[in-house]
Amino acid sequence: YVVFSFIFKSSIHNFALYLISGIIMYNFFGETSSEIMASISGNAKLINKVNVPKLLYPLTCAIYGLINLLIAFVPLMFVVLVTDARISWHYLLIPFAVLCTLILAIGIGLILATLMVFFRDTKFLWTFACQILMYATPIFYPIDRIPAHAQVIFYVNPLYHNITFMRTILLGNQVPPL
């Protein structure tokens, strides 16, 4: 926050809320998809012994991610109150933004879980891919700092749209466009 607020002089109004909302949504996605990815291969012995639906393991990881997100909303709401952000009825759309990110994390996590059964190095590749994804998603900086011809890369990133959806609700106090 200090680096991008004072040294690089971010032009974003209420940068603290902009930053924490992006970090929380990115961490929710990264943590949930990583946990789901490891859920099948990590519980292989249990899956072979106990006859329960296999989808139960990834879904418990998704619920774990949601619980962590709810805990992360405490400092987010603290920042909302401290920075005098205007609270409006648009905040009722936050669960939809979370649901979209959850569906994305479950989908990618299940694909990665399938790959991880056959290729154990998927875990390490996904960790590296998450680092690239973090910098390819404008979490710390606004997208208008990127040249117009390079912004296409950001627009094909589904995580960018989920985070922008959340930020539009929190900072813009408006309904995000479809």
Side-chain angles (χ1 to χ4, degrees), residues 61 85 91 95 113 133-134 147 177:
C61 293
Y91 279 43
L133 187 62
M134 182 179 72

mmCIF file of all heavy atoms in Angstrom, residues 61 85 91 95 113 133-134 147 177:
data_model
loop_
_atom_site.group_PDB
_atom_site.id
_atom_site.type_symbol
_atom_site.label_atom_id
_atom_site.label_comp_id
_atom_site.label_asym_id
_atom_site.label_seq_id
_atom_site.Cartn_x
_atom_site.Cartn_y
_atom_site.Cartn_z
ATOM 1 N N CYS A 61 -12.992 -28.663 -0.014
ATOM 2 C CA CYS A 61 -11.936 -27.655 -0.203
ATOM 3 C C CYS A 61 -12.534 -26.320 -0.614
ATOM 4 O O CYS A 61 -12.049 -25.260 -0.205
ATOM 5 C CB CYS A 61 -10.928 -28.131 -1.243
ATOM 6 S SG CYS A 61 -9.978 -29.556 -0.718
ATOM 7 N N ALA A 85 -15.710 4.750 2.593
ATOM 8 C CA ALA A 85 -16.317 4.335 1.328
ATOM 9 C C ALA A 85 -17.835 4.336 1.514
ATOM 10 O O ALA A 85 -18.339 4.014 2.589
ATOM 11 C CB ALA A 85 -15.837 2.949 0.928
ATOM 12 N N TYR A 91 -23.778 -3.489 -2.510
ATOM 13 C CA TYR A 91 -23.003 -4.480 -1.760
ATOM 14 C C TYR A 91 -23.714 -5.828 -1.708
ATOM 15 O O TYR A 91 -23.092 -6.843 -1.414
ATOM 16 C CB TYR A 91 -22.716 -3.979 -0.347
ATOM 17 C CG TYR A 91 -21.553 -3.016 -0.253
ATOM 18 C CD1 TYR A 91 -21.371 -1.995 -1.182
ATOM 19 C CD2 TYR A 91 -20.623 -3.131 0.760
ATOM 20 C CE1 TYR A 91 -20.317 -1.117 -1.098
ATOM 21 C CE2 TYR A 91 -19.557 -2.250 0.851
ATOM 22 C CZ TYR A 91 -19.414 -1.252 -0.081
ATOM 23 O OH TYR A 91 -18.364 -0.392 0.001
ATOM 24 N N PRO A 95 -22.055 -11.350 -3.004
ATOM 25 C CA PRO A 95 -22.126 -12.811 -3.095
ATOM 26 C C PRO A 95 -22.109 -13.337 -4.534
ATOM 27 O O PRO A 95 -21.570 -14.411 -4.791
ATOM 28 C CB PRO A 95 -23.457 -13.158 -2.409
ATOM 29 C CG PRO A 95 -23.682 -12.041 -1.463
ATOM 30 C CD PRO A 95 -23.134 -10.825 -2.149
ATOM 31 N N ALA A 113 -6.910 -31.084 -10.734
ATOM 32 C CA ALA A 113 -6.935 -32.313 -9.924
ATOM 33 C C ALA A 113 -6.832 -33.542 -10.816
ATOM 34 O O ALA A 113 -6.153 -34.518 -10.472
ATOM 35 C CB ALA A 113 -8.212 -32.366 -9.085
ATOM 36 N N LEU A 133 -0.181 -15.303 -13.087
ATOM 37 C CA LEU A 133 -1.551 -14.817 -13.107
ATOM 38 C C LEU A 133 -1.726 -13.599 -12.198
ATOM 39 O O LEU A 133 -2.480 -12.680 -12.518
ATOM 40 C CB LEU A 133 -2.508 -15.936 -12.696
ATOM 41 C CG LEU A 133 -3.991 -15.664 -12.813
ATOM 42 C CD1 LEU A 133 -4.365 -15.408 -14.269
ATOM 43 C CD2 LEU A 133 -4.779 -16.833 -12.270
ATOM 44 N N MET A 134 -1.014 -13.578 -11.083
ATOM 45 C CA MET A 134 -1.122 -12.444 -10.172
ATOM 46 C C MET A 134 -0.643 -11.159 -10.854
ATOM 47 O O MET A 134 -1.273 -10.108 -10.734
ATOM 48 C CB MET A 134 -0.306 -12.675 -8.905
ATOM 49 C CG MET A 134 -0.441 -11.537 -7.912
ATOM 50 S SD MET A 134 0.460 -11.770 -6.407
ATOM 51 C CE MET A 134 2.130 -11.544 -6.956
ATOM 52 N N PRO A 147 -0.377 -0.308 -21.932
ATOM 53 C CA PRO A 147 -0.678 0.197 -23.283
ATOM 54 C C PRO A 147 -1.935 -0.469 -23.856
ATOM 55 O O PRO A 147 -2.226 -1.633 -23.567
ATOM 56 C CB PRO A 147 0.557 -0.192 -24.099
ATOM 57 C CG PRO A 147 1.636 -0.419 -23.107
ATOM 58 C CD PRO A 147 0.980 -0.858 -21.837
ATOM 59 N N PRO A 177 -21.335 -3.765 -15.333
ATOM 60 C CA PRO A 177 -21.931 -4.164 -16.618
ATOM 61 C C PRO A 177 -21.767 -5.664 -16.834
ATOM 62 O O PRO A 177 -20.837 -6.279 -16.313
ATOM 63 C CB PRO A 177 -21.135 -3.362 -17.653
ATOM 64 C CG PRO A 177 -19.848 -3.040 -16.975
ATOM 65 C CD PRO A 177 -20.150 -2.942 -15.510
#
